[in-house]
């Protein structure tokens, strides 16, 4: 029986898409999803796919909300986040410490890159999420979530780049689609060094996307999920023991609670609940 898996086509997964890594015992149906983040809401809200890539913040929010999905020990995207925080090159923001009281644009308040960056601003610069004004463009993937009172929706038709360039916001958080525009510069003077400092402090590169499965698939097709993880490992994804993910999951759960993405800090037992025991 084939297995539908909604994942982005990247260097970590290309071998599954081109067929150079395959298992005759598990044919894969890999739908074309140009922007993989568009799979997250349908997965959380309606369980559209048996298996899906998912942002770590979305998963933690969905787990608290009771969505019938379980986590699989596979990292599909991880990166330093600091380069994603931009301001105007000619603007008044000179360093992250200047962001207290600032207006910061972000696709959605729940965006994982924003979660990691808000955590860094709180840890390193003492600026809590509520000490900034968050200008958002989309709802969270979890339908029941409501943005905190210190977030507001951008005007209809506005864009992140346009608002930043016009000075309507002081800084903006982008995802993988970074603008190539000399009008903008990173808020962190040396984003690479800041990312290395985060890794040195916490022992991991921030995780953006993991792999999840519907709870019924985890219950009824655990052997197929084990085969899928083996294929992903061969293709180049980071399939790891659960313990290796503990630092990232623990800190992400802490940041989500501190920023109002979840009502409390989820424990590792709660995060891994329902994951088949033989996986990771």
């Amino acid at each position: 029986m084939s297995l539908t898996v909604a994942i982005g086509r990247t260097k970590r997964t290309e071998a599954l898409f081109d067929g150079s890594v395959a298992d005759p015992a598990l044919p894969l149906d890999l739908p074309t999803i140009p922007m993989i983040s568009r799979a997250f809401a349908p997965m959380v809200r309606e369980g559209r796919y048996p298996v899906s890539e998912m942002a770590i913040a979305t998963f933690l929010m969905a787990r608290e909300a009771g969505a019938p999905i379980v986590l699989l020990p596979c990292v599909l995207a991880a990166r330093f986040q600091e380069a994603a925080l931009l301001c105007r090159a000619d603007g008044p923001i000179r360093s992250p410490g200047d962001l207290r009281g600032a207006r910061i644009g972000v696709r959605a308040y729940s965006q994982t890159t924003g979660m990691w960056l808000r955590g860094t601003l709180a840890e390193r610069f003492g600026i809590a999420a509520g000490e900034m004004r968050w200008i958002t463009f989309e709802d969270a993937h979890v339908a029941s979530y409501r943005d905190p009172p210190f977030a507001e929706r951008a005007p209809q038709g506005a864009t992140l780049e346009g608002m930043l360039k016009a000075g309507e916001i002081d800084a903006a958080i982008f995802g993988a689609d970074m603008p190539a525009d000399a009008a903008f510069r990173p808020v962190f003077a040396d984003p690479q060094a800041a990312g290395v400092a985060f890794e040195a402090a916490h022992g991991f590169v921030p995780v953006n996307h993991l792999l999840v499965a519907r709870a019924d698939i985890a219950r009824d097709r655990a052997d197929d999920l084990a085969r899928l993880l083996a294929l992903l490992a061969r293709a180049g994804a980071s399939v790891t023991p659960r313990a290796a993910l503990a630092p990232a999951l623990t800190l992400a759960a802490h940041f989500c609670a501190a920023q109002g993405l979840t009502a409390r800090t989820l424990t590792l037992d709660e995060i891994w609940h329902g994951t088949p025991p033989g996986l990771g």
Side-chain angles (χ1 to χ4, degrees):
M1 183 188 304
S2 66
L3 183 66
T4 299
V5 181
I7 53 177
R9 190 164 187 165
T10 68
K11 291 180 179 179
R12 298 182 186 222
T13 62
E14 176 61 30
L16 299 185
F17 283 90
D18 69 19
S20 57
V21 169
D23 180 349
L26 185 67
L28 297 181
D29 175 19
L30 302 171
T32 300
I33 305 174
M35 186 180 297
I36 194 58
S37 62
R38 297 306 180 196
F40 302 165
M43 183 64 178
V44 167
R45 298 179 184 190
E46 62 191 69
R48 181 176 297 180
Y49 309 102
V51 180
S52 176
E53 188 168 336
M54 185 167 288
I56 188 171
T58 297
F59 171 75
L60 292 170
M61 296 168 69
R63 170 46 54 98
E64 183 187 48
I69 55 177
V70 301
L71 184 62
L72 301 177
C74 177
V75 176
L76 290 167
R79 62 174 180 266
F80 294 148
Q81 308 293 322
E82 287 77 6
L85 179 59
L86 302 182
C87 60
R88 295 196 324 278
D90 62 352
I93 303 299
R94 310 312 302 176
S95 73
D98 295 333
L99 293 178
R100 183 176 277 105
R103 302 157 299 169
I104 304 178
V106 64
R107 178 180 55 78
Y109 182 76
S110 59
Q111 183 182 14
T112 287
T113 297
M115 178 271 290
W116 286 122
L117 283 167
R118 284 192 296 268
T120 293
L121 291 173
E123 275 195 338
R124 290 189 55 195
F125 301 94
I127 308 174
E131 295 183 273
M132 295 164 280
R133 196 76 191 169
W134 297 91
I135 313 302
T136 69
F137 294 77
E138 296 179 10
D139 290 334
H141 298 128
V142 176
S144 61
Y145 180 76
R146 297 295 177 267
D147 287 349
F150 46 84
E152 63 188 67
R153 190 53 53 90
Q156 187 71 27
T159 67
L160 200 55
E161 289 185 49
M163 289 189 74
L164 183 57
K165 189 168 286 189
E168 296 166 335
I169 53 179
D170 302 299
I173 294 173
F174 294 85
D177 52 343
M178 294 292 294
D181 192 325
F184 307 139
R185 58 173 171 77
V187 171
F188 287 84
D190 188 338
Q192 179 68 19
V196 170
F198 180 100
E199 184 178 17
H202 297 292
F204 63 88
V205 173
V207 173
N208 282 69
H209 295 175
L210 296 158
L211 193 68
V212 302
R214 284 201 322 253
D216 63 307
I217 298 296
R219 181 187 66 239
D220 300 334
R221 300 185 64 179
D223 289 345
D224 283 341
L225 293 181
R227 291 189 183 94
L228 173 62
L229 291 176
L231 288 171
L232 284 162
R234 286 169 54 196
S238 178
V239 177
T240 179
R242 296 185 203 186
L245 284 172
L249 291 170
T250 298
L251 188 60
H254 167 69
F255 282 170
C256 281
Q259 298 167 25
L261 294 172
T262 57
R264 60 183 179 83
T265 302
L266 300 181
T267 67
L268 287 174
D269 284 344
E270 290 173 312
I271 290 169
W272 289 112
H273 179 72
T275 303
L279 301 184

